[in-house]
């Protein structure tokens, strides 16, 4: 049975779900938040150590301003409401990506990270304004500036995900089989699961099914 430390998820399909059910993409984002809460709870139950959630990519700035603003207001509400509960449940929150949002949201994110810094049961990495190519380029620039040799190990140690083991599992919902600039460096040996279901429809049984499948996979890492 493979050990399981880190699950990463591309939470895709909110917009289509909202359009289909309520004729509004934003209603899909609203519903997607409930799935986030459910998956965090199951991750705790399953004793997963790291859960990385792709919430907003560097490319998502190309969307209409109204949708972007709605997404950030949802995130603000979510953190304001749930931070105390996360802290109580021994969850550590970490943002991966550049925090260049409103003054209010930036502060809330910093405050949430600080408040939960010492927690140790589950680390939830929220990928926000995250793009893998930017992350890699910036890391190499940083190494050069500090005159540190560019090696695989030194790159790994200087990404947003430093000190976090690579994902064991990557899940993408939303019936789209691509990575969309997510953790390109970190998923080189990750087991990838693409699901047809849209994110708001993703349920406990779907998650558990993947975890069980993963546990039985023969992971070679180049060996035989
Ligand atoms: C993913 O759902 C969530 C974000 C990118 C914020 P989408 O909004 O991409 O939903 P679809 O893919 O358009 O259905
Ligand atoms: C990836 O979904 C980003 C997030 C889930 C946050 P997108 O919906 O932005 O991906 P593309 O544009 O369809 O590849
Ligand atoms: Mg999408």
């Amino acid at each position: 049975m493979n050990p399981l430390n880190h699950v990463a998820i591309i939470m895709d399909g909110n917009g289509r779900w909202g359009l289909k059910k309520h004729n509004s993409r934003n209603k899909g984002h609203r519903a997607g938040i409930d799935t986030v809460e459910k998956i965090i709870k199951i991750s705790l139950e399953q004793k997963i150590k790291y859960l990385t959630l792709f919430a907003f990519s560097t490319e998502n700035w190309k969307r209409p301003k109204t949708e972007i603003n709605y997404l950030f207001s949802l995130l603000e509400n979510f953190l304001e409401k749930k931070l105390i509960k996360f802290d109580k449940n021994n969850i550590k929150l970490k943002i991966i990506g550049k925090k260049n949002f409103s003054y209010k949201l930036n502060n809330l994110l910093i405050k949430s990270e600080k408040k939960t810094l010492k927690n140790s049961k589950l680390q939830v990495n929220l990928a926000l304004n995250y793009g893998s190519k930017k992350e890699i380029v910036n890391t190499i620039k940083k190494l050069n500036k500090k005159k540190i040799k560019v090696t695989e190990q030194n790159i790994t140690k200087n990404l947003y995900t430093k000190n976090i083991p690579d994902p064991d599992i990557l899940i993408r919902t939303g019936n789209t089989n691509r990575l969309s600039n997510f953790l390109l460096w970190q998923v080189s040996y990750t087991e990838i699961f693409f699901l047809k279901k849209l994110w708001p429809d993703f349920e406990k049984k779907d998650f558990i099914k993947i975890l069980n499948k993963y546990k039985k996979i023969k992971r070679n890492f180049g060996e035989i």
Side-chain angles (χ1 to χ4, degrees), residues 99-112:
K99 295 185 196 78
N100 65 346
F101 313 104
S102 69
Y103 180 76
K104 189 178 168 209
L105 181 56
N106 285 343
N107 275 336
L108 179 60
L109 295 171
I110 294 167
K111 186 183 108 182
S112 307

Side-chain angles (χ1 to χ4, degrees), residues 10-12 54-57 60 63 172 178 180:
I10 302 173
M11 310 182 288
D12 195 27
F54 201 9
F56 194 85
S57 74
N60 288 146
R63 295 187 180 201
R172 181 176 188 141
R178 57 178 172 251
S180 304

Side-chain angles (χ1 to χ4, degrees), residues 11-17 25 29 55-56 60 63 67 71:
M11 310 182 288
D12 195 27
N14 288 347
R16 278 164 285 162
W17 187 95
R25 290 183 53 85
H29 293 308
F56 194 85
N60 288 146
R63 295 187 180 201
E67 178 166 338
L71 277 168

Side-chain angles (χ1 to χ4, degrees), residues 44-85:
L44 279 171
E45 288 166 9
Q46 295 294 317
K47 301 193 166 57
I48 290 165
K49 285 302 227 187
Y50 301 89
L51 176 69
T52 301
L53 302 173
F54 201 9
F56 194 85
S57 74
T58 45
E59 289 75 29
N60 288 146
W61 293 107
K62 295 179 201 159
R63 295 187 180 201
K65 197 112 192 96
T66 46
E67 178 166 338
I68 295 174
N69 288 341
Y70 186 75
L71 277 168
F72 293 144
S73 71
L74 271 181
L75 176 64
E76 262 176 38
N77 281 334
F78 180 70
L79 284 177
E80 275 165 358
K81 265 203 226 139
K82 303 292 172 189
L83 187 60
I84 292 173
K85 192 175 160 201

